Amino acid sequence: MSRDAILRADAVHKHYGDLEVLRGVTFEVGRGEVKVIIGPSGSGKSTLLRCLALLEEPDAGQVSLEGRRPGRGEVGMVFQRFNLFQNMTALGNVMIGLTEVRRLPKREAREQATEFLARVGLKDKAGQYPDELSGGQQQRVAIARALVMRPQAMLFDEPTSALDVELVREVLDVMEQLANEGMTMVVVSHELRFAHHVASSILMMDEGVVIEEAPPEQFFSAPEHERTRRFLALVE
Ligand SMILES: Nc1ncnc2c1ncn2[C@@H]1O[C@H](COP(=O)(O)OP(=O)(O)O)[C@@H](O)[C@H]1O
Ligand SMILES: [Mg+2]
């Protein structure tokens, strides 16, 4: 469907023991597109993102980035619970991928990390530790940490669902800005207004498969599946 698919999942299967978590997920994201995934708890959304980021190896099927296997840092991931290193400052968290994975000299890594902290509005928090930052600030550090690796695509796994309501907006604003700059994104989120406003299309997952995908207007006004209608009624 998209002219220029950059990130693809082809018939991805994943099980844990007897539990079939992904039962053949196929979809693609074009360059600069934002796909929002919704669906009930346990439907496999996080597992799918972990497979796309190669944090998890699919049992069958394939994940590809521009037709090849993604390298480290090429697909950035932001987690619900931030996953920052508690013993490192904001700056340290953003630098670490550059020094450890990219092998950049400290000075250069510090410069780039500072620039990316500024991009998420946290230039003045560089020296703070995670427990000295609000949840929204921690999540923005996590976004900067992924962005500094210059990913081809960014994945967000319920990035605002661990945040107090008044902190949700600052994270969504950073994500929206990123989308406007043309970043390719896959976002698991039940922030439906954000989805409506920013998504190129919305996917509904249920029991390990994508049951429907449509542009926001169509998805919200005329969902195809009864399952989607019921789920939307719950979330709204
Ligand atoms: N590492 C794991 N080991 C065993 N079971 C897992 C693991 N990760 C996820 N699961 C199970 O897989 C199912 C889907 O989980 P998940 O992908 O987290 O769903 P969602 O993000 O949609 O809530 C759940 O039943 C969950 O308990
Ligand atoms: Mg999840």
Side-chain angles (χ1 to χ4, degrees), residues 117-130:
L117 276 176
R119 278 182 60 177
V120 299
L122 293 175
K123 198 180 170 139
D124 57 337
K125 301 290 182 192
Q128 309 289 108
Y129 288 85

Side-chain angles (χ1 to χ4, degrees), residues 41-42 44-47 50 80 157-158 188:
S41 177
K45 305 178 302 295
S46 294
T47 304
R50 290 202 304 272
Q80 185 174 350
D157 192 1
E158 304 207 40
V188 173

Side-chain angles (χ1 to χ4, degrees), residues 27-211:
F27 78 100
E28 57 182 38
V29 192
R31 191 181 298 284
E33 281 187 329
V34 177
K35 299 226 165 171
V36 171
I37 301 175
I38 68 169
S41 177
S43 58
K45 305 178 302 295
S46 294
T47 304
L48 175 62
L49 289 196
R50 290 202 304 272
C51 286
L52 286 170
L54 292 184
L55 298 174
E56 197 93 71
E57 196 64 42
D59 297 322
Q62 272 185 346
V63 166
S64 62
L65 181 72
E66 295 187 307
R68 61 191 167 74
R69 199 181 150 83
R72 263 184 93 183
E74 279 195 303
V75 177
M77 177 104 167
V78 172
F79 303 89
Q80 185 174 350
R81 301 212 157 266
F82 329 135
N83 296 14
L84 297 176
F85 296 111
Q86 296 298 315
N87 61 338
M88 289 180 196
T89 62
L91 186 68
N93 269 281
V94 180
M95 282 175 63
I96 183 98
L98 294 176
T99 52
E100 298 299 310
V101 178
R102 294 283 147 79
R103 301 278 165 203
L104 285 190
K106 275 237 165 74
R107 221 181 89 176
E108 205 171 315
R110 188 175 299 115
E111 254 169 45
Q112 292 188 22
T114 303
E115 179 196 325
F116 277 82
L117 276 176
R119 278 182 60 177
V120 299
L122 293 175
K123 198 180 170 139
D124 57 337
K125 301 290 182 192
Q128 309 289 108
Y129 288 85
D131 67 1
E132 300 169 326
L133 297 171
S134 72
Q137 290 168 338
Q138 290 183 62
Q139 192 60 299
R140 285 185 284 146
V141 172
I143 293 172
R145 175 177 64 177
L147 287 177
V148 82
M149 303 298 280
R150 323 267 169 165
Q152 298 283 323
M154 285 281 287
L155 314 179
F156 294 85
D157 192 1
E158 304 207 40
T160 61
S161 55
L163 299 178
D164 293 334
V165 281
E166 75 271 23
L167 303 177
V168 167
R169 192 68 247 169
E170 67 190 51
V171 172
L172 294 180
D173 283 347
V174 167
M175 292 169 64
E176 184 174 343
Q177 182 193 325
L178 207 52
N180 289 338
E181 289 166 5
M183 178 60 78
T184 305
M185 293 163 55
V186 180
V187 182
V188 173
S189 174
H190 297 117
E191 293 288 337
L192 299 186
R193 279 176 50 177
F194 171 84
H196 203 141
H197 186 55
V198 175
S200 330
S201 65
I202 303 183
L203 290 79
M204 170 76 188
M205 274 188 81
D206 192 29
E207 298 185 350
V209 288
V210 175
I211 63 171

